[in-house]
Amino acid sequence: MKRSIVRYGMVGGSLNSFIGRVHKNALNFEINAELSAGCFSSNSQNNLDTGSYYGLPSDRVYPDYREMAQRESLRNDKIDFVCIVTPNCSHYDIAKEFLLHDINVVCEKPLCSEISNAEELQKIARERGLLFAVTYAYSGYGMVKQAKQLIEEGAIGRIINVNAEYLQEWLIDSIGSSASQTAKLSGWRTDPKVSGISNCVGDIGTHIENTVAYMTGLKIKRVAAKLDYFNQPLDLNANILIDFDNGAGGVYSCSQVAVGYANGLTVRIFGTKGAIEWRQEQPNQLKVTLKGQPSAVYERGTGYITGRAAQLNRIPSGHPEGYYEAFANIYKTYLSAVLKTINGEKLLKEDMDFPKIEDGVEGVRFIHAVVKSAKNDSVWTAPDEIS
Ligand SMILES: NC(=O)c1ccc[n+]([C@@H]2O[C@H](COP(=O)([O-])OP(=O)(O)OC[C@H]3O[C@@H](n4cnc5c(N)ncnc54)[C@H](O)[C@@H]3O)[C@@H](O)[C@H]2O)c1
């Protein structure tokens, strides 16, 4: 009989965590996803409390992810995919464990710390025919998809320059003398043992890289970077020059010490015929300017929005869609791909419109290239040439 429900498990995502709750809420938008198992925290009480909050039977709340992968893989009603929402350093081990038990994976970014590990995960997923998503959330926004479509249709001509930034202020106290009221995230991001070789670029610079790559289809040829550490173990601020494979240039700037900014991701793409600008804090709008004409603001949910942006529209224009819907759009697409695979149906191009393991590998290469360039006095460094 044809399956209509996808069962999933979570590793990480306890009630007091950030992004696990976002994933859970986003999956709640979809009627064909059912949380069936979890290992929500390495703290046992936290783990049990979260499992019970979600109404899971106690035998499907596992004390560690290895046991979860092994025991789930033996069940007739095993989970179809696992959602990994733990801090960066654990992604590789957890993802590998589930892949080796033939369970599809959705993993948070950055995919993992080392390029060789990222490539290994890609190889295992490919060899076993498993669906692997990396939740670069911004590619899930309807207006980012509209931007991608306009660029593909040639609306702004040949891309000649990209100017993008992701500015936050939440770590300003680490270089200041007095405590402020900025919102705080989990402290592990500034710890190299948990975060990896980069904090700012690994946490938010990687989002710029992925969002621009998704919108434009351009590949980065080389980067020249300057990172600022302010006497901290990992970077808090980065200015990065980019050369793309089509000859265009770009500037990416990311910061966690930019006072006045919370989640200021802005992407501006300049072409020979026009320009496109998208801002994540006003995600329902897209600014499009054609050469010699006044700027136009495209609104999500209107009649002139077409393609994937229209397919994924959820509510009428004027009612804002946001971060949850962006994750839900990634999941809607991924769930459809998983179901079609289970039911032996052919996957269409739009079924694969979610950030994949290849994007995750590109992200890890980008982070390493930026850090390497910065360590070598900002010398131009090619992400594809480092290992
Ligand atoms: N895509 C995005 O926009 C986005 C946004 C925020 C965070 N993230 C990524 O999500 C990941 C988690 O970030 P966060 O801010 O939610 O962190 P967090 O500290 O708020 O939550 C981490 C969770 O993982 C659990 N955990 C840690 N080790 C575990 C283990 N071995 N087994 C089971 N559970 C374990 C913790 O108990 C907690 O529930 C990071 O990789 C981060 O980069 C992505």
Side-chain angles (χ1 to χ4, degrees), residues 11-14 16-20 39-42 85-88 91 108-110 135 137-138 186 188-189 203 207 323 327:
V11 179
S14 60
N16 59 343
S17 69
F18 167 28
I19 211 67
C39 168
F40 302 100
S41 174
S42 36
V85 281
T86 54
N88 308 351
H91 294 174
E108 260 307 340
K109 46 53 60 178
T135 39
Y138 304 108
S186 307
W188 60 257
R189 284 175 169 77
D203 203 37
H207 277 303
Y323 199 53
F327 275 87

Side-chain angles (χ1 to χ4, degrees), residues 113-172:
S113 304
E114 300 304 325
I115 295 172
S116 58
N117 290 348
E119 289 173 341
E120 186 188 348
L121 293 177
Q122 181 179 22
K123 184 165 176 279
I124 301 172
R126 267 192 196 155
E127 281 171 1
R128 293 179 177 244
L130 294 166
L131 291 166
F132 198 128
V134 180
T135 39
Y136 280 110
Y138 304 108
S139 67
Y141 281 94
M143 298 313 273
V144 170
K145 292 183 185 295
Q146 184 67 40
K148 177 183 177 64
Q149 184 179 318
L150 286 168
I151 290 169
E152 273 172 8
E153 289 169 355
I156 63 166
R158 180 172 54 83
I159 295 170
I160 51 171
N161 191 37
V162 176
N163 180 299
E165 64 198 30
Y166 198 148
L167 305 178
Q168 300 180 328
E169 67 173 0
W170 70 284
L171 280 170
I172 186 63

